[in-house]
Amino acid sequence: DQQVKQNSPSLSVQEGRISILNCDYTNSMFDYFLWYKKYPAEGPTFLISISSIKDKNEDGRFTVFLNKSAKHLSLHIVPSQPGDSAVYFCAASANAGGTSYGKLTFGQGTILTVHP
Amino acid sequence: DGGITQSPKYLFRKEGQNVTLSCEQNLNHDAMYWYRQDPGQGLRLIYYSQIVNDFQKGDIAEGYSVSREKKESFPLTVTSAQKNPTAFYLCASSTPGGHGYTFGSGTRLTVV
């Protein structure tokens, strides 16, 4: 049962344009969502996150949007740069605040390629 | 610098042999996790531990074993019972109430 899904295995974008990566989830208990970026043969690094009490969070070129009713989130990268080429993982946790550890459930990942 | 160290980066083993992957962290994090990455399947949770001397199975624990004798260390043993052990293995850690993980750089295990 795939609770977090990234239905696009890959995305190709021209440098300077917008990259939009999508993620869907099925578990209504998820209340915190994160995006990780991963280069080959390296561990993922945290990119941006959003709590379920918000519908948008922005950090520089990266913006995450959350649509709770649709159980959908997206990551926008504007403008896209060749260095953004990597695998992007969407992740979700339930009851991530307080004393819990917020065990993460990951999507399958989307390979983003930004062409110069 | 604080972080998570996984060793070795590449590991080759013959089929039928057990192999142990090392994971050490100096972040003083309570929780540690092992994930496996396969092409097209994302990161799947193998085992996790929230405190010393305690750990729980994740989604794909069969064929794996772990121990948590020290807060800093969470080694993963891939046993001969694991049917498809060739994969990229990632270790991570987190704190209570923390909203994300710190990952190690991974170990690529190839069983021949």
Side-chain angles (χ1 to χ4, degrees):
Chain A
D1 176 26
Q2 190 79 32
Q3 297 186 63
V4 178
K5 295 183 183 180
Q6 294 174 255
N7 292 318
S8 298
S10 63
L11 175 66
S12 183
V13 171
Q14 204 69 28
E15 181 178 7
R17 307 294 289 268
I18 185 171
S19 296
I20 300 177
L21 296 93
N22 294 302
C23 179
D24 297 295
Y25 62 96
T26 58
N27 189 340
S28 300
M29 297 301 293
F30 287 147
D31 60 359
Y32 205 84
F33 304 89
L34 308 92
W35 285 93
Y36 283 84
K37 176 179 178 179
K38 184 184 179 302
Y39 293 114
E42 294 184 10
T45 55
F46 170 76
L47 194 57
I48 193 170
S49 62
I50 188 167
S51 164
S52 60
I53 62 173
K54 295 185 176 181
D55 54 18
K56 176 183 175 182
N57 188 27
E58 191 171 356
D59 183 3
R61 297 186 297 114
F62 302 92
T63 303
V64 56
F65 296 92
L66 176 62
N67 183 334
K68 290 188 291 292
S69 60
K71 292 191 176 67
H72 177 83
L73 65 154
S74 61
L75 173 68
H76 293 209
I77 306 174
V78 183
S80 300
Q81 299 173 355
D84 295 330
S85 298
V87 178
Y88 288 79
F89 288 101
C90 169
S93 70
N95 302 316
T99 58
S100 74
Y101 286 92
K103 182 163 62 73
L104 295 179
T105 300
F106 287 85
Q108 305 96 313
T110 296
I111 301 170
L112 173 65
T113 304
V114 180
H115 298 284
Chain B
D1 285 341
I4 296 184
T5 301
Q6 289 187 244
S7 61
K9 194 163 182 66
Y10 299 95
L11 192 54
F12 294 87
R13 278 295 181 268
K14 289 185 177 180
E15 194 172 337
Q17 290 182 337
N18 291 358
V19 60
T20 298
L21 282 60
S22 169
C23 179
E24 304 277 335
Q25 55 101 356
N26 59 6
L27 299 165
N28 201 32
H29 285 176
D30 292 298
M32 296 186 75
Y33 311 82
W34 274 105
Y35 283 84
R36 167 181 172 144
Q37 183 189 10
D38 295 283
Q41 297 200 51
L43 304 180
R44 294 184 291 167
L45 182 64
I46 304 172
Y47 267 98
Y48 65 103
S49 167
Q50 295 183 335
I51 55 172
V52 174
N53 293 322
D54 188 46
F55 47 82
Q56 288 79 40
K57 292 182 179 180
D59 302 317
I60 55 166
E62 185 175 351
Y64 299 98
S65 66
V66 293
S67 63
R68 187 82 187 280
E69 296 176 2
K70 297 186 302 181
K71 187 176 184 178
E72 302 79 19
S73 179
F74 191 41
L76 173 74
T77 297
V78 184
T79 75
S80 57
Q82 168 51 231
K83 290 182 172 38
N84 297 295
T86 294
F88 189 59
Y89 290 87
L90 285 160
C91 180
S93 67
S94 69
T95 56
H99 291 306
Y101 293 173
T102 300
F103 279 93
S105 57
T107 294
R108 170 73 62 185
L109 172 64
T110 302
V111 175
V112 295

